[in-house]
Amino acid sequence: MDIPRFFNITESAHRIHNPFTPEKFATLGEALRLKSGDRVLDLGSGSGETLCTWARDHGIVGTGIDMSSLFTAHARQRAEELGVAHQVNFIHGDASGYISDEKADVAACVGATWIGGGVAGTIELLARSLRTGGVILIGEPYWRQLPATEDIARKCLANSISDFLILPELLASFGKLGYDVVEMVLANQDGWDRYEAAKWLTMRRWLEKNPDDELADEIRSKLSTEPGRHAAYTREYLGWGVFALMPGISPGKT
């Protein structure tokens, strides 16, 4: 069980596998008012930066699950580096059906909603691990500006325009699922640059060391085209954010 090797190569130097920066995750942790002992579940935890830094900065405890054996190893190493290995646990596995034995104060899927077959299914999955009064975190792209054509959408690495919503529609969609949006932190273009552009040096260094690898031609092609594609499309059209949700309550009820 693992993710495609291409992504293990191109994101091998990433600590964060989405357009958030360390500062954005710090802002999110403060916005959620995390406190010592809070339990956080992270489905699709990547290299563990969220859990590890929140354990260091806020004293949370938590569990992360990710399909990449490489990223899981990086997460465990990061926990040791930050001195929080006793607070966080990282599991190499398929998070698509994972339900925590201990209810979480925060249940998160930040940028991997394919785990639940989309946003609605992922929220439903996370809710099964959430304590009463807890918060669900969903990381999801949205259109900063609606592409004029399907070709533009595909150049943003979407399958079609319908893959994503504009931000007001995305926020409204959570309400339609029965949830209140109680916080949000949005990435910016600099965050997209750090996520996408950091891959380019990784690809170049990998090509220098692995010129005859079976993926060399594909990596070479991506290195040649990704800077221009990113600058023209992802950077201009795609937004990305983490949205904090709580089950909705009717007026006059608690």
Side-chain angles (χ1 to χ4, degrees):
M1 179 187 300
D2 215 319
I3 63 173
R5 184 166 169 251
F6 177 86
F7 298 105
N8 274 331
I9 292 170
T10 59
E11 298 190 27
S12 60
H14 283 52
R15 282 184 174 169
I16 298 172
H17 302 274
N18 58 58
F20 258 21
T21 59
E23 293 77 17
K24 290 289 185 180
F25 272 118
T27 296
L28 180 61
E30 293 289 344
L32 294 174
R33 307 169 194 175
L34 296 172
K35 59 185 183 298
S36 181
D38 279 353
R39 183 168 298 279
V40 180
L41 174 67
D42 190 1
L43 303 186
S45 51
S47 293
E49 193 72 1
T50 310
L51 285 180
C52 290
T53 55
W54 286 358
R56 177 195 63 193
D57 297 339
H58 300 283
I60 63 99
V61 296
T63 299
I65 302 94
D66 199 272
M67 285 185 69
S68 171
S69 57
L70 177 65
F71 299 164
T72 303
H74 286 175
R76 291 168 180 161
Q77 181 180 2
R78 185 64 169 155
E80 293 287 350
E81 290 173 357
L82 297 185
V84 297
H86 61 294
Q87 293 169 244
V88 292
N89 177 42
F90 293 100
I91 300 168
H92 173 230
D94 183 359
S96 61
Y98 188 89
I99 300 170
S100 177
D101 292 333
E102 297 184 77
K103 297 295 185 180
D105 298 281
V106 177
C109 182
V110 177
T113 54
W114 52 265
I115 284 172
V119 171
T122 300
I123 291 173
E124 183 179 355
L125 174 63
L126 292 170
R128 298 175 70 182
S129 296
L130 192 69
R131 71 163 179 82
T132 301
V135 174
I136 287 174
L137 296 183
I138 291 289
E140 186 71 4
Y142 59 89
W143 293 119
R144 294 180 64 234
Q145 54 176 313
L146 205 61
T149 67
E150 293 290 352
D151 183 59
I152 292 174
R154 286 189 289 270
K155 287 177 178 177
C156 295
L157 304 184
N159 292 314
S160 71
I161 296 172
S162 63
D163 279 5
F164 308 128
L165 302 171
I166 61 172
L167 183 58
E169 292 175 350
L170 178 58
L171 293 170
S173 74
F174 297 130
K176 293 175 182 177
L177 293 172
Y179 285 83
D180 294 326
V181 180
V182 297
E183 257 292 2
M184 71 177 186
V185 178
L186 304 181
N188 55 27
Q189 288 173 307
D190 180 63
W192 273 116
D193 292 344
R194 298 293 13 99
Y195 175 51
E196 295 291 346
K199 300 174 187 177
W200 308 338
L201 181 58
T202 299
M203 288 191 282
R204 174 54 191 262
R205 295 302 191 204
W206 183 88
L207 283 167
E208 291 170 355
K209 296 178 180 179
N210 302 276
D212 300 320
D213 190 275
E214 61 182 4
L215 288 182
D217 288 345
E218 182 179 359
I219 298 290
R220 175 70 255 177
S221 176
K222 288 291 185 182
L223 180 57
S224 299
T225 58
E226 277 298 284
R229 186 206 60 77
H230 166 65
Y233 297 103
T234 303
R235 200 175 194 276
E236 297 303 313
Y237 285 89
L238 266 186
W240 197 89
V242 178
F243 305 92
L245 314 174
M246 296 180 70
I249 55 175
S250 301
K253 295 183 179 180
T254 58

